Structure formats: structure tokens, C-alpha cells
Amino acid sequence: SSEVLEAIENVIQGVLESLAQKKAPVLTLANRSDWRNIEFKDSVGLQMIPRCTTKQIRSDCPRSAPKFALMLKILSMIYKMVQTNTYATKRDIYYSDTLLFGSQSVVDNIINDVSCMLKIPRRSLHILSTTKGFVAGSLTYTEEDGTKVNCTCGATVCITKQQHLNRKDLISHAKFMLIVEKDATFQRLLDDDFCSKLSPCIMITGRGIPDLNTRLLVRKLWDTFQIPIFTLMDADPHGIEIMCIYKYGSVSMSFEAHHLTVPSIKWLGLLPSDLERLNIRKDVLIPFTKQDQNKLASIQKRPYIACQPMWKKELEIMAASKLKAEIQVLTSLSSDYLSRVYLPNKLQFGGWL
């Protein structure tokens, strides 16, 4: 707490010193979205370089003055929350003054900028994410009030909450973790009792692009249990992008890579080569859009693809076919093909990259 308060006081002191010298105050922060500020490290993923290019949020420029004011507003809110040991969600902050902030995305972006500027992880700023991730399977822990929570498949599905991330009492007999891209597939595997049929496992979904809490939980479970982690994604550029966020991180959160990435994650499916191997009919595949082509081309140029020759091959197969497939395409073979045949075979015979 004292570290957060001191960091905010230093920023405000800089503003006051500028005003005392009759200069327009300026906030300086790393340029988070610039690939030139990012380096790829095998053991960490995408991380921000120590001496990266910065951008200035000026108080005397009509374009940046509103952002300057909003950053000070959110800094003051964080300062009060840390002082009083209270918490708020990003949504609470937006709804505290919707006219001032304009949109939720403005608040989200400024919170990330503030975290990056202060060099303090977002969860230490007393701002909670409204989470959308689910976890199920061989995992138990005790709530602060003494309630025992059991995520055993079929019995309950627990939303990953901020307070689960600092737990010391996580217990699991899982042999592996499976990250599932979509909620529909996650629910289907729950219905098929997948977590206990093959061998005990933990199943997680971020229900699309994962939020911060889901990524933190994946990392926490990896640090705690050191068991293999596999991903089950759609065979399309969007699915690959999501897998890369779990494994290597994202450009915008590269300043927090050490707490968020798990570079040992394996790509289990759905692989582009699986579509041919399983003789999936062409009429159930989806043609690429221009957006898909651009997204795939951008992924192929990323630094981590160079050290993943097998991934490179899969992306080339996808680029050549210009076709994509959702995991649900496996139901064209049989309604329970995913849980009865596809996943057991892959896990037993090592069909991952």
C-alpha cells in the first residue's frame, strides 16, 4: 500500500513542481501499443523493454488535456481506495461519473496506462475486474468465511474471482489443465463429465478473449501444481490469437508479462491439419473473410512464431486453404466425438504442439 501511495505522490509532486515553475504539467508513460517497445523472451513471452519509447499526456494540448484530467481523477480515486483499504470494479469507476468518462473502454484504457506509468500491477491498485471466466474440475479451496468450495465437474462451476488469486490452500489431484476458448464447448464437456472420465483435470474458460483474472488464475494454478496445460481453440485466426494471449501475453499488457504468461502451454486443438486428417467435409468449414486473412498474416509475422516451426506449418495450412472451423465442427462426425474420441486420443498419443 505504501508503495502505491508513494508512487502516486511522486506523480502529483511532479505536476505541482511544473505549476510552480509556470510550466504546463505533463504525464509521461511507456508507449504500450508499440511493437518496437516489446521483446520476445522464450521464458516469459512478450515483455516491455527496459528503455522503451514514451508518450506524453500534456495538460496544455487540446487533444490530450481531457486524458490528462481523467488520469488525475483516477489517480485520486486509487489513492483514496488504497488509504481506506476499499476496492472498486472498473465498472464502479465508470458509473461513478458516466458523463465525465464517456465509455467503459476509456476507463479500462486509463487504468492500464496508470498501472504502466506507476510500474505497479493493476491488482495492487485496489481496482477489481468484473470477471467472466469459469473454472471446474479437480480443484478445492476455502473461502475467507470458512466455506469450502469444490469445483468438481458437474457439481459446480466457480467464477474466477480476484480473491482466489492469492490463495495458499488450493488443492487438486488434476493430471493436466485444459483451457477452452468458448463457453459453449466448456459447458458441453461439463455435460459429458469430461473432467473425471479420462483422468482428473482442471478445465478453464475465459469465454473468448480472457480477462485479467482468468489469466492470473491460469498462471497461479501453473505455479502451484506445475501440471501440463493444453488449449482447445477454434481452428481460426481468432482462436490462435486467444491461445497466444494465454501463452505469450499481449502487447498492451506486456509490462505485466511476468505475472500473466505461461509459455509452457501446448496447442492441443483444433489444429488446421486435423481437419484434413479427420476428413471433415468442406461444406461444414467456413471461408476466410478479409479480416481473417489480415489477422493470420499479422500472427505469422510475430516473433514467437519463428521459434515454433510446427505452429508455423499449421498456420501455413490454414493460409493455403483459406478455411476456418469452430470446435463444434466435430459434431459432424458424431455428437460426442470431442469428448469420446478426439480429446482422449490427443491426450493419450501426444497430439499437441
Side-chain angles (χ1 to χ4, degrees):
S1 295
S2 58
E3 195 187 323
V4 179
L5 296 175
E6 192 183 334
I8 295 173
E9 284 161 8
N10 289 340
V11 170
I12 301 306
Q13 192 177 341
V15 169
L16 292 173
E17 282 170 3
S18 296
L19 290 170
Q21 293 163 20
K22 305 248 184 318
K23 290 180 185 165
V26 167
L27 298 174
T28 304
L29 57 136
N31 212 336
R32 285 190 297 122
S33 55
D34 191 339
W35 273 94
R36 288 171 299 181
N37 287 336
I38 311 297
E39 64 177 356
F40 172 65
K41 258 183 103 175
D42 238 354
S43 58
V44 181
L46 300 175
Q47 62 175 12
M48 197 169 267
I49 58 174
R51 290 190 185 82
C52 57
T53 61
T54 56
K55 59 179 177 183
Q56 291 191 325
I57 312 296
R58 302 190 61 84
S59 60
D60 61 347
C61 163
R63 277 181 63 195
S64 62
K67 184 166 183 176
F68 180 92
L70 291 179
M71 285 185 76
L72 288 191
K73 167 77 175 167
I74 285 178
L75 280 170
S76 82
M77 292 173 90
I78 292 168
Y79 194 85
K80 275 180 201 155
M81 288 191 294
V82 173
Q83 267 188 326
T84 56
N85 197 26
T86 53
Y87 290 80
T89 65
K90 294 190 294 181
R91 207 136 183 76
D92 293 335
I93 289 173
Y94 169 58
Y95 279 112
S96 69
D97 199 332
T98 53
L99 279 176
L100 178 69
F101 293 117
S103 76
Q104 183 69 58
S105 61
V106 167
V107 171
D108 297 355
N109 195 35
I110 286 176
I111 289 166
N112 285 341
D113 277 342
V114 164
S115 172
C116 185
M117 177 176 73
L118 299 177
K119 293 184 172 55
I120 287 169
R122 200 174 79 188
R123 61 198 173 284
S124 302
L125 303 178
H126 284 229
I127 295 170
L128 308 171
S129 296
T130 39
T131 190
K132 61 189 178 105
F134 289 137
V135 56
S138 173
L139 181 66
T140 57
Y141 56 87
T142 310
E143 291 278 21
E144 280 155 15
D145 64 0
T147 311
K148 280 212 177 330
V149 178
N150 185 350
C151 301
T152 306
C153 240
T156 182
V157 178
C158 312
I159 296 175
T160 56
K161 293 180 189 164
Q162 196 104 7
Q163 54 266 43
H164 300 164
L165 306 173
N166 303 318
R167 314 208 66 86
K168 303 274 188 290
D169 62 344
L170 296 167
I171 300 165
S172 177
H173 303 293
K175 297 284 183 276
F176 64 92
M177 260 191 276
L178 182 67
I179 299 171
V180 182
E181 177 185 349
K182 285 179 178 164
D183 190 26
T185 309
F186 181 84
Q187 298 298 340
R188 178 65 209 246
L189 290 171
L190 278 186
D191 293 343
D192 291 349
D193 200 19
F194 175 75
C195 300
S196 50
K197 260 187 187 162
L198 193 62
S199 61
C201 73
I202 299 170
M203 217 163 53
I204 290 174
T205 180
R207 297 161 79 197
I209 294 169
D211 58 6
L212 186 70
N213 285 354
T214 306
R215 291 175 63 191
L216 283 166
L217 182 71
V218 170
R219 177 58 194 250
K220 170 80 176 171
L221 294 174
W222 161 248
D223 287 340
T224 308
F225 302 120
Q226 298 280 308
I227 52 177
I229 306 181
F230 303 106
T231 60
L232 180 63
M233 307 280 150
D234 288 341
D236 66 12
H238 188 65
I240 292 162
E241 174 85 281
I242 288 170
M243 173 174 57
C244 292
I245 290 172
Y246 283 109
K247 187 175 171 75
Y248 295 125
S250 59
V251 175
S252 63
M253 294 296 284
S254 57
F255 63 96
E256 267 209 69
H258 287 271
H259 313 288
L260 293 172
T261 59
V262 185
S264 61
I265 282 173
K266 303 279 185 270
W267 185 6
L268 188 71
L270 189 62
L271 303 178
S273 59
D274 288 339
L275 304 175
E276 204 166 296
R277 183 177 61 82
L278 298 171
N279 288 321
I280 302 288
R281 300 194 323 270
K282 286 276 196 290
D283 63 320
V284 295
L285 301 178
I286 308 160
F288 259 28
T289 61
K290 185 76 183 137
Q291 198 179 7
D292 290 326
Q293 279 176 287
N294 294 341
K295 168 76 79 183
L296 183 58
S298 132
I299 293 170
Q300 285 176 301
K301 290 185 195 130
R302 289 188 194 165
Y304 44 71
I305 298 299
C307 62
Q308 289 280 6
M310 300 300 282
W311 282 32
K312 203 170 171 219
K313 268 188 189 161
E314 294 292 333
L315 299 187
E316 282 163 5
I317 292 170
M318 191 185 283
S321 74
K322 291 193 172 59
L323 293 168
K324 58 184 181 176
E326 297 185 331
I327 297 160
Q328 285 84 340
V329 81
L330 296 176
T331 57
S332 68
L333 300 171
S334 79
S335 62
D336 59 351
Y337 191 85
L338 176 65
S339 59
R340 187 175 53 83
V341 182
Y342 183 82
L343 289 174
N345 282 352
K346 284 253 172 177
L347 290 160
Q348 195 176 344
F349 301 114
W352 59 79
L353 305 179

